[in-house]
């Protein structure tokens, strides 16, 4: 059993709507409580010295939700960023946004741009919000960047390898996630970090995101400690039969 903390935890926040439905509350109430959980989990991860945390908060597919829900989520995000600005800076967090930022409304994009800029001087946990994010979209954007570099002559097709490809992704300079957590009982990747999760350990829990506490996270990390990670190699206890 290894005890070293994962270098990078990625979380698919899921189940806000069902949490609200179970209580006969409007869906948006689930998002409000979900945002509180985000605060707690982020603060805890920064405290334990986790190097990187990525939260999937809004996918490219989420634009298809009702206009009211999308608008509410965008306002909630802005409120979160405003409210957490000091916390992010005091906790030495470096914030980054993964995803197609051009598609975000200016009220959110501007607020984010500022905190992303200011937090770059920090040296602690890398906190990434995947917003308007889709793994395939990210891969296509990376392929376009590489194609442009080839066209300009700064890269040759033979120079495209795992390293140069990874550098063209939104996650440049981030370690691949060691652990993916998905709440609410769904067992899917749902277009999240498709390239980066080649060797990620998956942890699925029935707990809905608004109920996901620090205790649940500790349990997921304990579970990760028990995993035998071989990265395609043969384990030490494998006898060859
Ligand atoms: C998934 O639950 C959750 C979302 C699509 C939004 C996540 C957003 C937040 C937690 C709030 C703000 C985020 C940040 C980063 C501060 P769902 O609506 O898909 O739930 P359901 O599957 O039960 O309907």
């Amino acid at each position: 059993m290894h005890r070293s903390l994962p270098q990078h935890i990625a979380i698919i926040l899921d189940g806000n709507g069902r949490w609200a439905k179970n209580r006969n509350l409007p869906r948006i109430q689930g998002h409000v409580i979900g945002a509180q959980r985000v605060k707690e989990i982020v603060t805890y991860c920064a405290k334990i010295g986790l190097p990187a945390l990525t939260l999937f908060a809004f996918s490219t597919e989420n634009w298809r939700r009702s206009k009211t829900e999308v608008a509410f989520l965008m306002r909630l995000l802005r409120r979160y960023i405003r409210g957490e600005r000091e916390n992010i800076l005091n906790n030495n967090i470096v914030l980054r946004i993964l995803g197609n930022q051009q598609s975000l409304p200016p009220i959110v994009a501007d607020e984010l741009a500022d905190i992303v800029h200011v937090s770059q001087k920090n040296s602690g946990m890398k906190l990434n919000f995947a917003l308007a994010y889709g793994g395939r979209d990210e891969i296509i954007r990376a392929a376009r960047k590489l194609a442009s570099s080839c066209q300009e002559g700064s890269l040759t097709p033979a120079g495209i390898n795992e390293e140069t490809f990874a550098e063209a992704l939104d996650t440049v300079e981030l370690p691949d996630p060691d652990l993916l957590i998905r709440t609410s009982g769904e067992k899917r990747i749902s277009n999240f970090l498709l390239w980066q999760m080649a060797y990620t350990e998956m942890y699925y829990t029935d707990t809905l995101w608004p109920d996901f506490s620090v205790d649940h996270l500790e349990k997921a990390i304990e579970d990760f400690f028990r995993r035998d990670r071989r990265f395609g190699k043969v384990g030490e206890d494998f006898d060859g039969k």
Side-chain angles (χ1 to χ4, degrees):
M1 186 152 118
H2 58 101
R3 296 293 302 186
S4 51
L5 213 53
Q7 289 296 296
H8 183 179
I9 297 180
I11 309 181
I12 300 178
L13 319 173
D14 201 3
N16 293 351
R18 275 162 284 168
W19 182 91
K21 195 168 173 236
N22 292 345
R23 289 165 177 73
N24 287 321
L25 294 168
R27 289 179 59 79
I28 54 174
Q29 195 54 33
H31 297 317
V32 171
I33 306 299
Q36 286 176 15
R37 290 292 161 266
V38 169
K39 270 187 215 179
E40 288 161 19
I41 296 294
V42 166
T43 308
Y44 174 78
C45 288
K47 197 183 84 190
I48 61 171
L50 185 77
L53 174 69
T54 299
L55 303 177
F56 199 6
F58 196 84
S59 70
T60 43
E61 292 73 26
N62 286 156
W63 291 117
R64 292 191 214 123
R65 294 190 174 196
S66 78
K67 254 188 170 168
T68 331
E69 186 172 345
V70 170
F72 183 84
L73 277 170
M74 291 299 140
R75 284 200 303 275
L76 185 62
L77 198 59
R78 185 177 59 165
R79 204 190 322 154
Y80 173 90
I81 301 153
R82 282 195 179 163
E84 284 305 284
R85 188 187 165 87
E86 287 312 303
N87 250 349
I88 289 173
L89 297 177
N90 294 341
N91 280 308
N92 200 21
I93 291 171
V94 185
L95 184 69
R96 189 196 295 193
I97 309 303
L98 312 180
N100 189 349
Q101 293 179 54
Q102 266 125 16
S103 64
L104 290 172
I107 55 150
V108 176
D110 296 349
E111 198 83 34
L112 280 169
D114 178 60
I115 176 81
V116 166
H117 175 72
V118 178
S119 72
Q120 295 311 301
K121 65 171 183 356
N122 286 346
S123 56
M125 182 175 80
K126 291 184 163 131
L127 171 63
N128 312 291
F129 285 149
L131 298 173
Y133 176 87
R136 288 184 176 178
D137 176 68
E138 181 192 26
I139 289 171
I140 288 171
R141 286 187 286 105
R144 285 195 188 131
K145 276 188 223 165
L146 295 168
S148 296
S149 303
C150 288
Q151 214 167 27
E152 286 159 12
S154 56
L155 186 70
T156 62
I160 300 175
N161 52 37
E162 288 197 16
E163 211 172 300
T164 48
F165 203 96
E167 280 167 15
L169 293 166
D170 297 347
T171 47
V172 56
E173 286 168 5
L174 271 178
D176 286 343
D178 293 309
L179 176 63
L180 169 78
I181 298 171
R182 182 170 189 156
T183 57
S184 91
E186 310 293 347
K187 297 181 178 68
R188 290 187 289 276
I189 294 180
S190 297
N191 203 12
F192 189 35
L193 301 175
L194 295 179
W195 169 279
Q196 298 86 344
M197 294 212 287
Y199 288 102
T200 299
E201 297 292 328
M202 307 288 168
Y203 180 88
Y204 298 111
T205 169
D206 287 338
T207 306
L208 304 174
W209 178 253
D211 288 327
F212 192 83
S213 63
V214 163
D215 287 349
H216 291 97
L217 178 62
E218 282 176 344
K219 213 169 132 209
I221 296 175
E222 282 296 323
D223 186 87
F224 172 79
F225 287 149
R226 289 192 291 273
R227 306 280 176 106
D228 177 20
R229 304 190 78 201
R230 294 202 290 269
F231 299 97
K233 288 185 233 132
V234 172
E236 276 164 30
D237 54 354
F238 184 73
D239 63 6
K241 280 182 215 146

